[in-house]
Amino acid sequence: MRKIEHLNKILNIFILFVQIGITLITMIAIYMIFAISDFRGGFDGIIGIAVFQPIMAIVFSLITVFACGLMGLPIRINKKLNEWWRTKFYVSIILTFIGLLFCIMSFLPNLVQQVEYEIDGIMEIVTIPNIFFAISGWFLIAFGILHSFPPYKLQQKITYWLNRKFRSKNNNIVSDRIKT
């Protein structure tokens, strides 16, 4: 039974790294979509999109993953909540889908916002995505992906299969040693 617990820990760590990696890549891509939608041209705009925006995408994505990780810590720590979340794995998929819908809705013509600002004495009105839907969608996507686990029964089957595989290898090694 001890090996199964060890395999579960290794599998959980692997799942955590996959969750973090997929969440970071997704959030960086979404940030860059929002940044490109705000592109107004010019040399300084090109430098911003090519250099500064990717750096900001990484920073904001890391902060978001950290914040969503803290908010979802009870899911990882509490065994009953973790089992419930894993048996109802579709909840995280639904959260991610709602987040994507919110991000798309933030660009709808009747929901966009107009912001007025002044540069060099010239007043300019700029249309931006709806802040509420963009930020809500951003966090729902991050939380949903970061806390997407394989179904609980599937993880148990994988652990059982790995345990049998390692046990049979160890038995073969022991039987080979006995023969020699």
Side-chain angles (χ1 to χ4, degrees):
M1 196 65 176
R2 184 126 170 102
K3 285 187 180 185
I4 290 177
E5 291 171 8
H6 184 68
L7 286 174
N8 266 338
K9 285 182 182 181
I10 291 171
L11 191 58
N12 285 336
I13 291 170
F14 175 74
I15 290 170
L16 178 65
F17 280 117
V18 169
Q19 289 169 326
I20 290 172
I22 292 173
T23 305
L24 283 174
I25 290 168
T26 304
M27 300 320 294
I28 289 169
I30 291 171
Y31 182 94
M32 291 306 295
I33 290 170
F34 276 99
I36 290 170
S37 73
D38 190 39
F39 181 69
R40 292 192 188 92
F43 183 73
D44 57 340
I46 292 172
I47 296 297
I49 288 291
V51 177
F52 298 113
Q53 292 297 345
I55 293 170
M56 294 304 294
I58 292 168
V59 169
F60 284 128
S61 297
L62 285 170
I63 291 170
T64 302
V65 166
F66 180 74
C68 288
L70 282 178
M71 287 187 290
L73 207 53
I75 295 171
R76 296 184 187 279
I77 293 174
N78 186 314
K79 187 173 178 158
K80 284 187 179 183
L81 182 59
N82 184 286
E83 267 184 43
W84 181 88
W85 189 266
R86 286 179 184 227
T87 55
K88 310 282 191 261
F89 63 92
Y90 51 84
V91 173
S92 61
I93 296 169
I94 291 170
L95 285 176
T96 305
F97 182 71
I98 291 171
L100 283 171
L101 283 177
F102 276 19
C103 284
I104 291 168
M105 287 173 55
S106 71
F107 287 102
L108 292 177
N110 58 340
L111 293 176
V112 293
Q113 299 171 329
Q114 297 204 344
V115 177
E116 240 180 70
Y117 66 93
E118 185 178 335
I119 294 180
D120 297 330
I122 300 172
M123 196 62 119
E124 194 171 330
I125 298 174
V126 178
T127 303
I128 61 170
N130 185 295
I131 299 296
F132 171 77
F133 283 112
I135 292 174
S136 299
W138 171 270
F139 279 103
L140 285 172
I141 291 169
F143 191 87
I145 294 174
L146 188 61
H147 296 92
S148 290
F149 293 93
Y152 188 69
K153 291 188 184 232
L154 176 64
Q155 184 173 342
Q156 287 177 327
K157 286 180 183 179
I158 291 170
T159 305
Y160 178 74
W161 178 78
L162 287 172
N163 189 38
R164 275 192 338 171
K165 190 165 183 91
F166 284 124
R167 189 178 296 157
S168 67
K169 279 187 180 180
N170 288 341
N171 288 341
N172 289 340
I173 291 170
V174 170
S175 65
D176 288 343
R177 286 183 187 164
I178 293 171
K179 289 178 186 176
T180 58

